[in-house]
């Protein structure tokens, strides 16, 4: 058994084969556009990256100089998209033992910063935020609401509405290891007609063929790495391909100010995964429930455990002291979970010093980013694997 929480986590042999042979055309591209337009009720622009969709939304808002409120527990790509478009960032701390900011935190931020005009909610790791209260505040204070579904395609809010059907904008990411994964890809759905016009004449650039080729090889390369890891070959191959810069890496992608269209070839892969979204989510939910029931309660985040049935369960988060020690312990059993989403309020940590974030701004996020580990829930984790992982974590806890 060899389990990774990233590195081509969503691919099996059938995905690899289909991905190498699929050749989408304009027809499949438009089919995906129509599907998303109906599902999320708005005008759709398909982009090469989710972060580019965020930038398009900010262009449509046309409020340069305003502040954008984001979860103080997020990805550098979100921060970067905002500053690249000439906005400033307002950090909203997450709630204790939760991964999203509260409506109360938003109200405080609006009072403290009159320039706050737009907010991004995130449903971190798939766990829904308190959208109804947040939307009410946005309506009262005239704040633009964007739902970032990078982690939460298919999640449901407490009132039963699907994530992505509430705000003025919805952003999707189809990047590697996400719920729907075509190695790279994004979408902006403009739900509020007030913003339709501004992007009408906007032309999206094409990405380089070299990058498209790299993405196409990624499922096969990562599949080979994962399946030969135990005999040592996978590790060597991984190091070699990384050295050659032959593996697509979302954190190393630099768009140098340009915004790109989703290449045609990716559209059918995304569309087909939407058609099977229900099975994907059911599997993730089942695995998350196994972790919840089998793990020692000391590592669980209670508010999240009670939201498993409405979450997209992108990963199952737990908190431990001495995280690195557990990561090393699990490696002995071929369980590789070192990819921590997020290890700093704006993660990865190595990028934090380049942001406007200052220590103490989001205290709850600072506590959790030191302790969080995410367990995999993707299709390559079986129920037996989830029990095995839980048993090993419980064993490690006893040794502490
Ligand atoms: C919350 C969130 N939003 C947006 C993004 C950016 O998505 P993409 O990699 O498709 O640009 C990420 C990246 O993982 C993310 O975690």
């Amino acid at each position: 058994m060899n389990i990774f929480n990233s590195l081509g986590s969503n691919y099996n042999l059938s995905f690899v084969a289909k991905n190498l042979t699929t050749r989408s055309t304009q027809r499949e591209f438009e089919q995906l556009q129509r599907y998303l337009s109906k599902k999320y009720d708005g005008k759709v622009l398909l982009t090469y990256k989710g972060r580019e969709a965020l930038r398009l939304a900010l262009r449509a808002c046309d409020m340069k100089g305003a502040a954008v409120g984001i979860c103080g527990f997020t990805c550098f790509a979100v921060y970067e998209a905002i500053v690249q478009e000439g906005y400033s960032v307002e950090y909203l701390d997450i709630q204790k033992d939760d991964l999203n900011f509260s409506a109360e935190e938003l109200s405080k931020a609006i009072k403290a910063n009159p320039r706050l005009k737009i907010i991004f909610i995130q449903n971190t790791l798939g766990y829904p935020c308190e959208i109804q209260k947040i939307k009410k505040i946005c309506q009262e204070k005239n704040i633009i609401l964007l739902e970032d579904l990078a982690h939460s395609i298919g999640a449901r809010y407490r009132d039963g509405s699907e994530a992505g059907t509430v705000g003025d904008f919805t952003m999707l990411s189809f990047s590697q290891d996400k719920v729907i994964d075509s190695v790279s890809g994004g979408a902006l759905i403009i739900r509020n007609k007030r913003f339709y016009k501004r992007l009408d004449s906007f032309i999206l650039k094409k990405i380089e063929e070299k990058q498209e080729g790299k993405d196409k090889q990624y499922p096969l390369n990562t599949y080979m790495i994962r399946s030969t890891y135990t005999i040592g070959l996978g590790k060597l191959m991984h190091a070699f391909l990384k050295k050659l810069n032959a593996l697509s890496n979302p954190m190393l992608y630099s768009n140098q100010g340009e915004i790109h269209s989703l290449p045609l070839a990716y559209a059918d892969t995304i569309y087909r995964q939407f058609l099977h979204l229900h099975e994907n989510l059911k599997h993730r939910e089942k695995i998350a429930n196994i972790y919840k029931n089998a793990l020692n309660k000391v590592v669980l985040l209670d508010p999240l455990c009670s939201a498993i049935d409405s979450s997209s369960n992108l990963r199952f988060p737990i908190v431990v002291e001495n995280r690195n020690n557990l990561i090393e312990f699990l490696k002995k059993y071929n369980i590789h979970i070192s990819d921590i989403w997020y290890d700093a309020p704006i993660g990865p940590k190595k990028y934090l010093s380049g942001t406007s974030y200052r220590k103490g701004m989001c205290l709850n996020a600072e506590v959790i980013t030191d302790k969080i580990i995410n367990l995999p829930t993707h299709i390559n984790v079986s129920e037996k694997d989830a029990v095995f992982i839980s048993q090993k974590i419980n064993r490690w806890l006893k040794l502490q």
Side-chain angles (χ1 to χ4, degrees):
M1 184 173 58
N2 229 320
I3 302 166
F4 291 80
N5 64 357
S6 55
L7 199 66
S9 59
N10 289 315
Y11 317 134
N12 54 22
L13 207 48
S14 136
F15 184 105
V16 170
K18 272 206 192 99
N19 185 65
L20 285 172
T21 51
T22 299
R23 297 267 177 274
S24 317
T25 62
Q26 187 65 24
R27 198 172 70 94
E28 281 84 18
F29 187 88
E30 285 168 17
Q31 171 176 260
L32 176 63
Q33 263 179 328
R34 275 197 305 278
Y35 177 84
L36 295 177
S37 172
K38 193 160 171 230
K39 183 174 172 67
Y40 295 108
D41 190 19
K43 195 162 158 175
V44 176
L45 291 161
L46 297 175
T47 54
Y48 178 60
K49 290 273 169 195
R51 66 200 76 174
E52 295 179 334
L54 292 176
R55 294 182 57 195
L56 282 176
L58 294 173
R59 284 189 194 189
C61 293
D62 195 20
M63 297 172 99
K64 261 187 193 180
V68 181
I70 59 169
C71 195
F73 181 63
T74 195
C75 177
F76 179 73
V78 174
Y79 171 87
E80 188 181 43
I82 297 169
V83 295
Q84 273 176 332
E85 290 302 314
Y87 292 76
S88 64
V89 172
E90 178 75 29
Y91 302 92
L92 304 173
D93 197 6
I94 54 177
Q95 301 172 74
K96 192 167 177 296
D97 291 345
D98 193 292
L99 306 179
N100 295 307
F101 62 80
S102 65
E104 207 185 335
E105 177 74 8
L106 173 62
S107 290
K108 272 201 285 182
I110 295 170
K111 262 194 206 126
N113 184 358
R115 286 195 306 125
L116 181 55
K117 300 289 178 208
I118 302 167
I119 60 155
F120 293 176
I121 64 90
Q122 181 176 287
N123 303 321
T124 314
L125 298 183
Y127 293 89
C129 66
E130 36 185 59
I131 196 77
Q132 293 83 8
K133 288 190 197 164
I134 290 174
K135 179 161 184 180
K136 192 159 172 279
I137 297 172
C138 289
Q139 282 170 334
E140 284 166 8
K141 304 287 180 190
N142 210 6
I143 304 272
I144 298 165
L145 172 61
L146 179 143
E147 293 172 86
D148 173 342
L149 305 197
H151 300 185
S152 61
I153 291 178
R156 295 214 164 256
Y157 295 119
R158 219 162 286 160
D159 67 353
S161 56
E162 185 166 349
T165 61
V166 177
D168 299 293
F169 296 96
T170 295
M171 167 263 175
L172 309 172
S173 164
F174 311 119
S175 185
Q176 44 194 258
D177 306 305
K178 300 280 171 57
V179 173
I180 289 189
D181 175 338
S182 60
V183 184
S184 184
L188 176 69
I189 296 103
I190 310 168
R191 291 177 24 84
N192 185 333
K193 291 194 174 62
R194 178 181 141 206
F195 301 106
Y196 272 16
K197 267 241 148 313
R198 290 209 186 95
L199 295 177
D200 264 359
S201 53
F202 194 82
I203 300 191
L204 301 174
K205 298 248 170 21
K206 273 188 157 189
I207 62 154
E208 284 178 20
E209 267 174 40
K210 200 172 96 191
Q211 183 63 35
E212 211 178 312
K214 211 195 250 190
D215 290 349
K216 197 151 194 78
Q217 286 299 321
Y218 183 81
L220 175 63
N221 284 338
T222 51
Y223 183 81
M224 291 198 316
I225 292 171
R226 284 187 289 112
S227 42
T228 57
Y229 213 82
T230 351
I231 55 163
L233 189 62
K235 200 169 181 176
L236 279 176
M237 201 178 149
H238 189 202
F240 181 66
L241 291 173
K242 256 169 86 175
K243 201 163 174 62
L244 290 183
N245 189 21
L247 287 179
S248 302
N249 180 335
M251 290 323 294
L252 295 181
Y253 171 74
S254 159
N255 53 11
Q256 288 152 0
E258 292 180 341
I259 299 185
H260 304 91
S261 175
L262 182 79
L264 297 182
Y266 300 43
D268 196 45
T269 307
I270 297 168
Y271 178 70
R272 276 190 281 109
Q273 288 178 62
F274 267 106
L275 299 186
H276 295 284
L277 180 60
H278 181 71
E279 291 108 281
N280 179 343
L281 294 176
K282 278 287 148 209
H283 174 80
R284 290 177 185 274
E285 184 183 335
K286 196 163 56 187
I287 299 297
N289 272 313
I290 292 173
Y291 289 136
K292 176 184 120 181
N293 294 323
L295 282 166
N296 185 320
K297 302 283 171 268
V298 295
V299 301
L300 300 178
L301 292 163
D302 288 335
L304 303 188
C305 285
S306 56
I308 287 175
D309 59 348
S310 52
S311 171
S312 62
N313 298 295
L314 180 62
R315 298 231 181 119
F316 186 81
I318 59 169
V319 281
V320 293
E321 304 292 338
N322 205 356
R323 170 170 69 196
N324 289 340
N325 190 289
L326 174 58
I327 291 171
E328 289 308 312
F329 179 82
L330 292 177
K331 268 188 200 163
K332 288 192 252 167
Y333 302 97
N334 299 320
I335 303 164
H336 304 273
I337 57 161
S338 60
D339 176 30
I340 289 153
W341 220 340
Y342 310 102
D343 61 351
I346 303 292
K349 207 179 216 158
K350 60 182 174 202
Y351 294 113
L352 187 65
S353 61
T355 70
S356 58
Y357 184 85
R358 294 291 167 265
K359 205 167 169 41
M361 280 179 168
C362 294
L363 290 171
N364 290 333
E366 286 178 15
V367 170
I368 213 154
T369 50
D370 280 345
K371 297 182 181 172
I372 195 164
I373 294 194
N374 302 309
L375 306 181
T377 57
H378 52 72
I379 51 156
N380 289 311
V381 177
S382 67
E383 293 174 50
K384 218 168 115 196
D385 294 337
V387 172
F388 180 76
I389 294 170
S390 305
Q391 284 169 346
K392 292 301 162 215
I393 293 174
N394 290 344
R395 168 107 188 88
W396 175 80
L397 283 166
K398 282 209 177 110
L399 297 173
Q400 298 313 294

